Amino acid sequence: MNPSIDPIPFARPMIGSDEEAAVLRVMRSGWLTTGDEASAFEREFAAFVGCRHALAVNSATAGLHLALEAHGIGPGDEVLLSPYTFASAAAVVRHLGARPVFVDVERDGFNIDPEALAETAAAHPTARAVMPVHFAGLPCRMDRIIEVARAHQLVVIEDAAHAFPSPTAGGYAGTIGDTGVFSFYATKTITTGEGGMVCTKDDEVARRITMMRLHGIDRTVWDRYRTPGATWKYDVHEAGFKYNLPDILAAIGRVQLGRAEAFLESRKRIAARYREAFSDADFLTLPPDGDGNAFHLFVVRLKLDSLTIGRDEFIASLAERGIGCSVHFIPLHVTRFYAGTYGLFERQFPRALEAYRRAVSLPIYPGLDDDPIDRIIDAVRAVGAAHRRIR
Ligand SMILES: Cc1ncc(COP(=O)(O)O)c(C=O)c1O
């Protein structure tokens, strides 16, 4: 990269003085781990998305693990999901002794194809759950997915790691199925550094997750030490996990939650700029859009037959111009572990494969002002023009 160019990172969290003050307040309170702040974050998040139970956890990965476990997924079960997702979604299925079964994405989209889901569900009578991921923040076709799930007695666990806030006619993404899981990882639409939230309408699932996220014991540390009449006593009901969200992080989450609508407006503005700027670009395809898009990612697809370079070179050329890009995702069925363990081959999920080969995720985050957006647009257009295939 030219050293005189100011690099534009692919992602950057928006952390300001309010988040700093919130952390300081908790640090000075004498209570750092899960307590009042985490409970307040849960109440506020539940009110925001309109769900019955919101349970704070230390990652979405932990949340997906807990959600599957609480819905009774275990050895011998199958869980349906698209390969176009992050590694942890399939890993937690394995951790429970169950088997991930992949279903291809929609034509020209990145979300699971509900018709392919119906076919796979019919062919897999031992499937117990489906985990649709609202890729890039664009809600999946939940009406049809829920219809298919009901027909095949599948629990619907939404992976809403990218989808906050994603308001749809049927409610916020993450609250439409049986249980939904959000991520507050550093690059997500709101962040606590690491963190997540599980939303469920099911009282029994909420009770189970509350217990399993903290060692399978029947009382939280806060209950044991801080509530009136507190006692040190507890009992262990299960071999649980250590998946609780500490108050220091919950305090950041509460501030970020209050900024979520403003963040969304910024992301929408950037997406609109990209859409306009690339509307006549003949070397790429714009991502699908629709109601409730949280614009976590902006993934364009290169038209590889109109370019003389491949996707990786395209990203390298942007990097030389100081533009940080990424690729979401390497489909799980082409990764060493999943391909090897389940005997999967590349063309088995042709749409996911095609999406991956062409995908470039451009920077999209609230701190991105007009100048860097202009630079990104100019750079993408320049790389496209410099490598146009002449026919
Ligand atoms: C679709 C999807 N699901 C789950 C996760 C896991 O989130 P976390 O890092 O909070 O565990 C991610 C993280 O990037 C993701 O992109």
Side-chain angles (χ1 to χ4, degrees):
M1 193 182 83
N2 179 339
S4 64
I5 298 178
D6 235 2
I8 300 173
F10 170 65
R12 187 162 50 201
M14 286 292 280
I15 296 292
S17 52
D18 288 352
E19 284 84 351
E20 288 172 11
V23 169
L24 211 52
R25 176 169 47 77
V26 173
M27 290 181 90
R28 288 174 177 163
S29 74
W31 189 272
L32 305 184
T33 187
T34 308
D36 257 357
E37 286 291 325
S39 302
F41 186 30
E42 292 176 340
R43 283 194 302 277
E44 289 159 9
F45 195 90
F48 191 114
V49 296
C51 71
R52 187 169 164 81
H53 302 281
L55 303 161
V57 288
N58 58 14
S59 70
T61 305
L64 290 169
H65 194 181
L66 289 165
L68 288 167
E69 199 275 345
H71 279 283
I73 305 303
D77 293 336
E78 290 181 319
V79 175
L80 310 182
L81 74 166
S82 132
Y84 215 76
T85 190
F86 189 56
S88 63
V92 293
V93 174
R94 294 252 332 160
H95 295 337
L96 291 164
R99 179 184 175 99
V101 173
F102 297 119
V103 177
D104 211 350
V105 293
E106 294 170 305
R107 186 184 304 283
D108 302 323
F110 298 99
N111 285 339
I112 194 165
D113 175 6
E115 301 320 317
L117 174 67
E119 276 172 34
T120 311
H124 286 261
T126 48
R128 292 270 326 278
V130 55
M131 275 205 300
V133 48
H134 306 292
F135 179 88
L138 182 65
C140 294
R141 288 170 51 205
M142 290 306 292
D143 289 3
R144 180 68 182 127
I145 289 172
I146 287 174
E147 202 174 81
V148 172
R150 296 295 169 255
H152 296 277
Q153 284 93 48
L154 302 173
V155 172
V156 179
I157 297 174
E158 295 174 73
D159 181 342
H162 297 183
F164 180 76
S166 288
T168 76
Y172 276 86
T175 69
I176 305 168
D178 296 293
T179 295
V181 180
F182 298 85
S183 174
F184 309 135
Y185 178 67
T187 59
K188 296 296 193 281
T189 52
I190 68 169
T191 185
T192 58
E194 299 280 358
M197 193 71 78
V198 185
C199 284
T200 186
K201 11 176 128 39
D202 186 318
D203 295 347
E204 182 49 34
V205 166
R207 193 199 60 76
R208 177 85 184 175
I209 290 176
T210 304
M211 181 179 76
M212 292 303 282
R213 73 178 161 179
L214 201 69
H215 308 298
I217 61 179
D218 57 352
R219 307 185 51 200
T220 65
V221 189
W222 181 263
D223 284 343
R224 281 186 279 130
Y225 293 104
R226 285 294 179 99
T227 45
T231 147
W232 49 266
K233 284 192 180 156
Y234 62 87
D235 201 358
V236 180
H237 292 255
E238 282 287 349
F241 307 104
K242 181 72 165 79
Y243 282 167
N244 55 305
L245 186 74
D247 269 11
I248 297 179
L249 301 187
I252 302 174
R254 295 180 68 193
V255 178
Q256 291 266 302
L257 186 62
R259 304 173 71 189
E261 299 281 11
F263 288 168
L264 177 62
E265 286 314 307
S266 302
R267 288 174 181 276
K268 274 186 185 166
R269 188 180 58 81
I270 299 165
R273 291 277 331 266
Y274 285 154
R275 280 196 175 277
E276 213 218 308
F278 301 134
S279 59
D280 62 346
D282 54 5
F283 61 90
L284 60 74
T285 312
L286 289 164
D289 195 7
D291 283 349
N293 196 345
F295 298 102
H296 166 50
L297 302 172
F298 195 90
V299 182
V300 297
R301 294 189 200 210
L302 301 180
K303 291 184 183 166
L304 294 175
D305 44 9
S306 34
L307 292 167
T308 55
I309 55 172
R311 187 270 317 277
D312 296 358
E313 293 98 320
F314 198 96
I315 290 179
S317 297
L318 289 174
E320 274 166 27
R321 291 165 159 82
I323 316 292
C325 291
S326 190
V327 173
H328 297 83
F329 286 107
I330 303 173
L332 295 177
H333 76 284
V334 308
T335 61
R336 179 189 298 257
F337 178 77
Y338 290 100
T341 306
Y342 298 111
L344 305 174
F345 54 95
E346 285 194 337
R347 303 295 318 164
Q348 204 163 345
F349 304 100
R351 294 178 185 166
L353 184 71
E354 168 80 359
Y356 160 61
R357 289 197 168 145
R358 296 174 49 198
V360 179
S361 302
L362 300 178
I364 181 166
Y365 46 90
L368 209 55
D369 298 327
D370 282 335
D371 278 357
I373 297 170
D374 288 342
R375 265 185 60 201
I376 295 164
I377 290 170
D378 291 348
V380 170
R381 293 187 71 96
V383 173
H387 301 283
R388 174 165 289 116
R389 186 183 293 284
I390 315 287
R391 281 184 236 240

